[in-house]
Amino acid sequence: MDAFPPLQTDRLMLRLFEESDIPELVQLAGDRDIAATTLRLPHPYSEAHARNWVEETNRRFRENESLELAVTRKSDGLLLGAAGLVFNHEFDNAELGYCIGKPFWGNGYAGEAAQALVLHGFDQLNLYRIHAHHFAGNKASGKVLENCGMVREGVLIQHIKKWGRYHDIILYGMLNPQTAS
Ligand SMILES: CC(C)(COP(=O)(O)OP(=O)(O)OC[C@H]1O[C@@H](n2cnc3c(N)ncnc32)[C@H](O)[C@@H]1OP(=O)(O)O)[C@@H](O)C(=O)NCCC(=O)NCCS
């Protein structure tokens, strides 16, 4: 598969991760508040974790398993976070995920990145459905999904155990408005 031409939004450029992202990635992903509302992000987060992330997201892209991108700010190239789609080709669907570094919260960046991926997933990749989930307490994440047009589909009660506590998981999804019957 060829290199991915970055997705552009008003303020953002979403591109594949590069080795040069590793130092900023360690800083952003190492924040405890980021790990607290994500399922699989290791904490503490080392340079080896960041290197593995860069290599694995590029491998998964090449093998068409996912499109997991660095969210960067157009004006200065700064790495803000990550956003991506993980494909289930058998069912023509994908799971949307995103994460924005704490210093950049509250600027609409997650919403802008999520919206770009939803549009790309439906218009360019012809996905039939995109879904997502978040920890029940993560109200900002629910808002990001609703702003993308996703509908709350249900709750998995006490489904996840994180740092010794059980959490409800809220499920969201939407169908491709152009192809869904
Ligand atoms: C969740 C997260 C991605 C939000 O990133 P962000 O760039 O600050 O999000 P945005 O600014 O695009 O949008 C946040 C929305 O939530 C709203 N919001 C923020 N805090 C809120 C709260 N406590 N209750 C309700 N809504 C809230 C904002 O008003 C905004 O909605 P609006 O645009 O309609 O006003 C970010 O906090 C994050 O990365 N957290 C850690 C990792 C994570 O939880 N990832 C998601 C896993 S499902």
Side-chain angles (χ1 to χ4, degrees), residues 122 127-130 149-150 153 173-181:
F122 285 150
L127 293 169
Y128 184 74
R129 170 178 155 82
I130 297 178
M150 287 207 186
E153 295 181 335
M174 71 185 293
L175 302 182
N176 187 333
Q178 282 152 35
T179 57
S181 45

Side-chain angles (χ1 to χ4, degrees), residues 5-127:
L7 297 182
Q8 310 272 349
T9 69
D10 282 354
R11 296 177 296 165
L12 306 176
M13 184 171 82
L14 278 64
R15 56 155 174 80
L16 289 170
F17 278 94
E18 298 162 0
E19 201 177 344
S20 57
D21 294 323
I22 290 173
E24 282 167 286
L25 200 49
V26 172
Q27 284 295 315
L28 296 179
D31 193 310
R32 197 176 192 282
D33 287 343
I34 300 284
T37 52
T38 46
L39 263 186
R40 292 181 195 89
L41 195 71
H43 188 77
Y45 192 87
S46 67
E47 187 184 322
H49 289 125
R51 187 169 297 282
N52 184 258
W53 172 259
V54 172
E55 288 169 3
E56 279 299 298
T57 53
N58 275 273
R59 180 195 63 75
R60 288 195 288 266
F61 167 73
R62 285 193 305 273
E63 296 179 10
N64 199 19
E65 293 176 14
S66 70
L67 179 63
E68 292 157 289
L69 301 173
V71 177
T72 67
R73 193 159 59 190
K74 267 183 182 172
S75 60
D76 54 8
L78 202 63
L79 181 70
L80 304 174
L85 295 168
V86 177
F87 306 125
N88 184 334
H89 293 297
E90 188 182 359
F91 303 137
D92 301 326
N93 72 32
E95 178 172 352
L96 171 70
Y98 42 78
C99 187
I100 296 293
K102 196 169 176 190
F104 311 113
W105 287 1
N107 291 294
Y109 292 139
E112 201 166 314
Q115 184 70 57
L117 278 167
V118 167
L119 284 175
H120 183 75
F122 285 150
D123 293 350
Q124 305 301 319
L125 306 179
N126 294 318
L127 293 169

Side-chain angles (χ1 to χ4, degrees), residues 37 98-100 105-108 110-111 133-134 138-141 143 147:
T37 52
Y98 42 78
C99 187
I100 296 293
W105 287 1
N107 291 294
H133 65 259
H134 68 80
N138 193 352
K139 306 285 184 214
S141 190
K143 200 73 204 304
N147 288 349

